[in-house]
Amino acid sequence: MSDRREVLIIGSGPAGLTAAIYTARANLSPLVIEGEPSSTTDQPGGQLMLTTEVENFPGWPEGIMGPELMGRCREQAARFGAEFLTAKVTRVDFSSSPKKVWVGETLYEADAVIVSTGAQSLMLGLEAESRLIGHGLSTCATCDGFFFRGQDIGVVGGGDSALEEALFLTKFASSVTIIHRRDSLRASKVMQDRARANEKIRFMWNTQVTDLVGDTKLESVKLKSLETGEETTAQFTGLFVAIGHRPNTDLFKGVLDMEDNGYLKTVPGRSLTNVEGVFACGDVQDHTYRQAITAAGSGCMAAIDCERWLEAQHG
Ligand code: NAP
């Protein structure tokens, strides 16, 4: 026995939930397979579940907590008839119609599928990260930089992201220290020149973050020199981890076209993938903006593309 619907949405961050709101209001009764908690950086609701205050989502002048924002979007989708399944998709087959999606042994079939499985920030793998994320530890300077006004903060990484985050953070912080595990940066020359020319930015070379100190809020950061083995503590009250992102696309390998970096390919300016009737939105296909509002916007695009495609199918 399988469950068959017109629209199935995989993923429940801002993109998936916006797609759910739109397709539900179009009477398409979407089923959202929302994921299930499997680690601190992987749970239903996506990356906003790891955020504390969100101050840049339009409509919330006083700010809103990330999990509350996602809870409200979910409620809004449910109000119009979206159904939710708290589970992880384990396999897909989009080679014929209806499209097939499995959760374990259970098969779900749909005329159209919207993929919004998001991306994850790579983390350092320290135990304290799950406790302090959103409490001094962050992976998004655009989202959280404002909260670090007048503080001394660190940024981990040596690529373009780390330098871009560091440069942005100099608008708020007293000082920004780039902590890099080697003695040369991977970032482009132009970004390196900009960072080196900024008097608020310092570099800590050949250094590894070994622990984060603080129970409810980051108080300091433990470091180790990879040259001498010397261990030190830096009084950073903010730490931004910028060592890269990984799109959640393992499920779609060999099924949907991807960029070399694993992000799904969509038709420029649209949500269409290479498979008819499969649409992608949010961070799973966006390695440039990565904001809740851009993800939500692309979720709306996917819903409209999907609705029009279904209409055309039904003649
Ligand atoms: P990236 O280029 O892969 O750099 C990741 C950095 O993090 C590297 O310096 C790496 O060190 C370090 N790192 C990785 N794992 C680590 C760990 N466990 N502990 C400590 N350090 C670790 O990633 P990215 O900076 O996010 O950039 C991704 C892509 O987007 C790149 O192609 C980049 O050019 C592009 N991008 C461009 C811009 C821009 O042009 N404005 C902005 C952002 C990103 P090693 O160097 O030792 O490997």
Side-chain angles (χ1 to χ4, degrees):
M1 263 289 281
S2 77
D3 174 299
R4 176 158 181 182
R5 348 216 135 200
E6 282 191 288
V7 182
L8 200 149
I9 298 171
I10 310 177
S12 60
L17 293 178
T18 304
I21 293 167
Y22 272 76
T23 49
R25 288 191 79 251
N27 279 336
L28 293 171
S29 311
L31 173 68
V32 184
I33 304 188
E34 63 179 347
E36 62 186 346
S38 63
S39 75
T40 48
T41 52
D42 182 13
Q43 46 185 302
Q47 297 172 82
L48 278 192
M49 300 303 284
L50 309 174
T51 313
T52 45
E53 190 127 25
V54 180
E55 288 189 327
N56 55 6
F57 201 90
W60 301 94
E62 66 293 340
I64 180 166
M65 300 302 270
E68 189 189 348
L69 178 59
M70 286 302 89
R72 285 182 175 241
C73 291
R74 191 180 188 278
E75 221 176 280
Q76 194 173 350
R79 179 180 153 214
F80 295 110
E83 285 178 56
F84 289 85
L85 179 70
T86 308
K88 263 191 180 209
V89 172
T90 47
R91 186 158 64 96
V92 299
D93 178 354
F94 298 155
S95 62
S96 58
S97 191
K99 275 102 191 150
K100 295 183 175 59
V101 169
W102 284 268
V103 172
E105 296 299 309
T106 311
L107 170 64
Y108 295 85
E109 293 181 307
D111 297 328
V113 175
I114 296 177
V115 175
S116 49
T117 46
Q120 297 179 41
S121 298
L122 298 178
M123 301 301 285
L124 299 169
L126 303 171
E127 213 180 298
E129 284 177 319
S130 56
R131 184 175 77 243
L132 293 172
I133 189 96
H135 302 281
L137 178 68
S138 172
T139 55
C140 176
T142 310
C143 319
D144 299 332
F146 189 80
F147 302 120
F148 294 87
R149 209 169 269 279
Q151 300 184 32
D152 294 312
I153 59 182
V155 173
V156 189
D160 280 320
S161 293
L163 267 50
E164 196 171 63
E165 300 275 272
L167 283 160
F168 181 77
L169 289 165
T170 58
K171 293 183 189 172
F172 312 100
S174 297
S175 73
V176 179
T177 302
I178 295 174
I179 305 159
H180 186 34
R181 63 185 179 182
R182 292 187 297 126
D183 64 357
S184 63
L185 297 166
R186 175 183 295 276
S188 55
K189 178 149 184 338
V190 57
M191 294 296 279
Q192 293 198 30
D193 291 346
R194 256 182 238 162
R196 289 181 205 275
N198 191 305
E199 56 187 25
K200 280 194 184 177
I201 294 183
R202 297 167 198 162
F203 292 91
M204 218 175 238
W205 303 109
N206 301 304
T207 303
Q208 185 187 2
V209 173
T210 54
D211 206 359
L212 310 175
V213 182
D215 286 335
T216 54
K217 203 169 169 304
L218 182 69
E219 289 163 10
S220 61
V221 174
K222 292 200 171 168
L223 304 165
K224 182 179 173 185
S225 163
L226 295 173
E227 269 182 327
T228 64
E230 189 193 352
E231 297 193 9
T232 52
T233 301
Q235 302 304 317
F236 300 138
T237 46
L239 188 73
F240 286 76
V241 177
I243 60 173
H245 291 84
R246 201 175 75 85
N248 299 319
T249 51
D250 288 354
L251 261 184
F252 309 108
K253 280 185 183 148
V255 176
L256 296 176
D257 284 354
M258 296 178 191
E259 311 277 356
D260 291 343
N261 57 10
Y263 285 81
L264 295 185
K265 275 189 188 172
T266 48
V267 171
R270 306 285 305 278
S271 66
L272 282 59
T273 68
N274 61 305
V275 176
E276 275 226 9
V278 179
F279 307 86
C281 53
D283 284 14
V284 73
Q285 52 83 61
D286 168 24
H287 47 88
T288 306
Y289 300 106
R290 299 189 187 117
Q291 299 299 300
I293 191 68
T294 49
S298 79
C300 163
M301 290 161 63
I304 292 175
D305 284 339
C306 174
E307 195 185 330
R308 291 183 182 160
W309 183 80
L310 284 168
E311 245 169 49
Q313 302 305 300
H314 297 153

